[in-house]
Every structure is written in structure tokens, then in C-alpha cells.
Amino acid sequence: MTPFPWDAAMQMGFGVMRLSSRDFWGLTPRELAAAFGAASGRAAPPRARLDELMRAFPDGGRNG
């Protein structure tokens, strides 16, 4: 198993994204990955992702 690249993660979080220590260490792994994807330009545009989710999970017209 490859160890997690903490040095690179901290360089991105602190150096590029300018996160505080509290904010960086408070992120979940999923939040950290999403933030890195957005900062590096790899994240899908929010509207495109919303459209994808709306197609996958359409409203059924039910009152809930």
C-alpha cells in the first residue's frame, strides 16, 4: 500500500490554497480531495454536476 503523500497535500493546502492549519486538518478526506480537484481545475463545473445528479435522481413528483 502506498503511503498518503502528506508533504504534497500540505504544500497544496497551505501553500496554494492558503488554508489555515485548523481548516486543513478539519477537512475530511473527501473534502480534501474535492478542494484539491477544484484548485487544480480537475473538478466538474458545479452546474454540470448538478445536471448529472438531476438526471440520475429525478424528482418523482411525490410530496414527501
Side-chain angles (χ1 to χ4, degrees), residues 30-46:
R30 185 172 292 218
E31 291 169 333
L32 188 62
F36 288 176
S40 66
R42 287 183 279 146

PDB file of all heavy atoms in Angstrom, residues 30-46:
ATOM      1  N   ARG A  30     -12.588  13.261   1.870  1.00  0.00           N
ATOM      2  CA  ARG A  30     -13.410  13.572   0.695  1.00  0.00           C
ATOM      3  C   ARG A  30     -13.410  15.075   0.414  1.00  0.00           C
ATOM      4  O   ARG A  30     -13.315  15.506  -0.727  1.00  0.00           O
ATOM      5  CB  ARG A  30     -14.833  13.073   0.905  1.00  0.00           C
ATOM      6  CG  ARG A  30     -15.700  13.252  -0.324  1.00  0.00           C
ATOM      7  CD  ARG A  30     -17.021  12.569  -0.143  1.00  0.00           C
ATOM      8  NE  ARG A  30     -16.749  11.141  -0.131  1.00  0.00           N
ATOM      9  CZ  ARG A  30     -17.511  10.232  -0.669  1.00  0.00           C
ATOM     10  NH1 ARG A  30     -18.636  10.578  -1.224  1.00  0.00           N
ATOM     11  NH2 ARG A  30     -17.198   8.961  -0.617  1.00  0.00           N
ATOM     12  N   GLU A  31     -13.527  15.884   1.465  1.00  0.00           N
ATOM     13  CA  GLU A  31     -13.483  17.336   1.296  1.00  0.00           C
ATOM     14  C   GLU A  31     -12.116  17.782   0.784  1.00  0.00           C
ATOM     15  O   GLU A  31     -12.027  18.653  -0.089  1.00  0.00           O
ATOM     16  CB  GLU A  31     -13.793  18.039   2.615  1.00  0.00           C
ATOM     17  CG  GLU A  31     -15.225  17.892   3.069  1.00  0.00           C
ATOM     18  CD  GLU A  31     -15.440  18.364   4.497  1.00  0.00           C
ATOM     19  OE1 GLU A  31     -14.496  18.331   5.317  1.00  0.00           O
ATOM     20  OE2 GLU A  31     -16.574  18.776   4.795  1.00  0.00           O
ATOM     21  N   LEU A  32     -11.070  17.174   1.298  1.00  0.00           N
ATOM     22  CA  LEU A  32      -9.716  17.498   0.875  1.00  0.00           C
ATOM     23  C   LEU A  32      -9.535  17.187  -0.611  1.00  0.00           C
ATOM     24  O   LEU A  32      -9.017  18.009  -1.372  1.00  0.00           O
ATOM     25  CB  LEU A  32      -8.702  16.723   1.719  1.00  0.00           C
ATOM     26  CG  LEU A  32      -7.241  17.050   1.562  1.00  0.00           C
ATOM     27  CD1 LEU A  32      -6.941  18.491   1.941  1.00  0.00           C
ATOM     28  CD2 LEU A  32      -6.406  16.103   2.426  1.00  0.00           C
ATOM     29  N   ALA A  33      -9.991  16.023  -1.045  1.00  0.00           N
ATOM     30  CA  ALA A  33      -9.884  15.641  -2.453  1.00  0.00           C
ATOM     31  C   ALA A  33     -10.687  16.585  -3.347  1.00  0.00           C
ATOM     32  O   ALA A  33     -10.220  16.983  -4.422  1.00  0.00           O
ATOM     33  CB  ALA A  33     -10.358  14.198  -2.642  1.00  0.00           C
ATOM     34  N   ALA A  34     -11.888  16.965  -2.911  1.00  0.00           N
ATOM     35  CA  ALA A  34     -12.708  17.884  -3.699  1.00  0.00           C
ATOM     36  C   ALA A  34     -12.053  19.253  -3.805  1.00  0.00           C
ATOM     37  O   ALA A  34     -12.037  19.871  -4.871  1.00  0.00           O
ATOM     38  CB  ALA A  34     -14.100  18.006  -3.075  1.00  0.00           C
ATOM     39  N   ALA A  35     -11.499  19.728  -2.705  1.00  0.00           N
ATOM     40  CA  ALA A  35     -10.824  21.032  -2.713  1.00  0.00           C
ATOM     41  C   ALA A  35      -9.604  21.003  -3.625  1.00  0.00           C
ATOM     42  O   ALA A  35      -9.372  21.939  -4.394  1.00  0.00           O
ATOM     43  CB  ALA A  35     -10.411  21.423  -1.292  1.00  0.00           C
ATOM     44  N   PHE A  36      -8.829  19.926  -3.588  1.00  0.00           N
ATOM     45  CA  PHE A  36      -7.655  19.822  -4.451  1.00  0.00           C
ATOM     46  C   PHE A  36      -8.072  19.748  -5.915  1.00  0.00           C
ATOM     47  O   PHE A  36      -7.438  20.337  -6.775  1.00  0.00           O
ATOM     48  CB  PHE A  36      -6.814  18.600  -4.092  1.00  0.00           C
ATOM     49  CG  PHE A  36      -6.074  18.737  -2.790  1.00  0.00           C
ATOM     50  CD1 PHE A  36      -5.340  17.684  -2.300  1.00  0.00           C
ATOM     51  CD2 PHE A  36      -6.104  19.906  -2.058  1.00  0.00           C
ATOM     52  CE1 PHE A  36      -4.647  17.785  -1.110  1.00  0.00           C
ATOM     53  CE2 PHE A  36      -5.409  20.027  -0.860  1.00  0.00           C
ATOM     54  CZ  PHE A  36      -4.684  18.968  -0.398  1.00  0.00           C
ATOM     55  N   GLY A  37      -9.133  19.014  -6.192  1.00  0.00           N
ATOM     56  CA  GLY A  37      -9.624  18.926  -7.574  1.00  0.00           C
ATOM     57  C   GLY A  37     -10.054  20.281  -8.096  1.00  0.00           C
ATOM     58  O   GLY A  37      -9.746  20.657  -9.221  1.00  0.00           O
ATOM     59  N   ALA A  38     -10.758  21.037  -7.264  1.00  0.00           N
ATOM     60  CA  ALA A  38     -11.202  22.364  -7.671  1.00  0.00           C
ATOM     61  C   ALA A  38     -10.018  23.309  -7.843  1.00  0.00           C
ATOM     62  O   ALA A  38      -9.966  24.078  -8.806  1.00  0.00           O
ATOM     63  CB  ALA A  38     -12.183  22.929  -6.646  1.00  0.00           C
ATOM     64  N   ALA A  39      -9.051  23.247  -6.952  1.00  0.00           N
ATOM     65  CA  ALA A  39      -7.895  24.136  -7.021  1.00  0.00           C
ATOM     66  C   ALA A  39      -7.016  23.825  -8.232  1.00  0.00           C
ATOM     67  O   ALA A  39      -6.377  24.718  -8.780  1.00  0.00           O
ATOM     68  CB  ALA A  39      -7.073  24.038  -5.738  1.00  0.00           C
ATOM     69  N   SER A  40      -7.015  22.573  -8.666  1.00  0.00           N
ATOM     70  CA  SER A  40      -6.185  22.191  -9.810  1.00  0.00           C
ATOM     71  C   SER A  40      -6.948  22.219 -11.121  1.00  0.00           C
ATOM     72  O   SER A  40      -6.393  21.907 -12.164  1.00  0.00           O
ATOM     73  CB  SER A  40      -5.579  20.805  -9.583  1.00  0.00           C
ATOM     74  OG  SER A  40      -6.607  19.834  -9.559  1.00  0.00           O
ATOM     75  N   GLY A  41      -8.226  22.577 -11.066  1.00  0.00           N
ATOM     76  CA  GLY A  41      -9.027  22.674 -12.285  1.00  0.00           C
ATOM     77  C   GLY A  41      -9.571  21.351 -12.782  1.00  0.00           C
ATOM     78  O   GLY A  41     -10.070  21.258 -13.885  1.00  0.00           O
ATOM     79  N   ARG A  42      -9.508  20.314 -11.961  1.00  0.00           N
ATOM     80  CA  ARG A  42      -9.979  19.000 -12.392  1.00  0.00           C
ATOM     81  C   ARG A  42     -11.422  18.725 -12.012  1.00  0.00           C
ATOM     82  O   ARG A  42     -11.978  17.729 -12.421  1.00  0.00           O
ATOM     83  CB  ARG A  42      -9.091  17.901 -11.818  1.00  0.00           C
ATOM     84  CG  ARG A  42      -7.745  17.844 -12.490  1.00  0.00           C
ATOM     85  CD  ARG A  42      -6.928  16.707 -11.961  1.00  0.00           C
ATOM     86  NE  ARG A  42      -6.329  17.158 -10.697  1.00  0.00           N
ATOM     87  CZ  ARG A  42      -6.116  16.378  -9.655  1.00  0.00           C
ATOM     88  NH1 ARG A  42      -6.423  15.122  -9.692  1.00  0.00           N
ATOM     89  NH2 ARG A  42      -5.567  16.861  -8.568  1.00  0.00           N
ATOM     90  N   ALA A  43     -12.024  19.582 -11.242  1.00  0.00           N
ATOM     91  CA  ALA A  43     -13.399  19.341 -10.800  1.00  0.00           C
ATOM     92  C   ALA A  43     -14.376  19.686 -11.915  1.00  0.00           C
ATOM     93  O   ALA A  43     -14.149  20.596 -12.702  1.00  0.00           O
ATOM     94  CB  ALA A  43     -13.702  20.183  -9.567  1.00  0.00           C
ATOM     95  N   ALA A  44     -15.468  18.944 -11.981  1.00  0.00           N
ATOM     96  CA  ALA A  44     -16.516  19.260 -12.952  1.00  0.00           C
ATOM     97  C   ALA A  44     -17.174  20.574 -12.564  1.00  0.00           C
ATOM     98  O   ALA A  44     -17.297  20.875 -11.379  1.00  0.00           O
ATOM     99  CB  ALA A  44     -17.560  18.145 -12.970  1.00  0.00           C
ATOM    100  N   PRO A  45     -17.559  21.359 -13.562  1.00  0.00           N
ATOM    101  CA  PRO A  45     -18.276  22.594 -13.231  1.00  0.00           C
ATOM    102  C   PRO A  45     -19.513  22.274 -12.400  1.00  0.00           C
ATOM    103  O   PRO A  45     -20.192  21.274 -12.657  1.00  0.00           O
ATOM    104  CB  PRO A  45     -18.661  23.162 -14.599  1.00  0.00           C
ATOM    105  CG  PRO A  45     -17.745  22.498 -15.575  1.00  0.00           C
ATOM    106  CD  PRO A  45     -17.401  21.159 -14.981  1.00  0.00           C
ATOM    107  N   PRO A  46     -19.811  23.089 -11.387  1.00  0.00           N
ATOM    108  CA  PRO A  46     -20.925  22.771 -10.491  1.00  0.00           C
ATOM    109  C   PRO A  46     -22.238  22.536 -11.220  1.00  0.00           C
ATOM    110  O   PRO A  46     -22.988  21.635 -10.874  1.00  0.00           O
ATOM    111  CB  PRO A  46     -21.019  23.995  -9.582  1.00  0.00           C
ATOM    112  CG  PRO A  46     -19.675  24.614  -9.634  1.00  0.00           C
ATOM    113  CD  PRO A  46     -19.130  24.304 -10.994  1.00  0.00           C
TER     114      PRO A  46
END
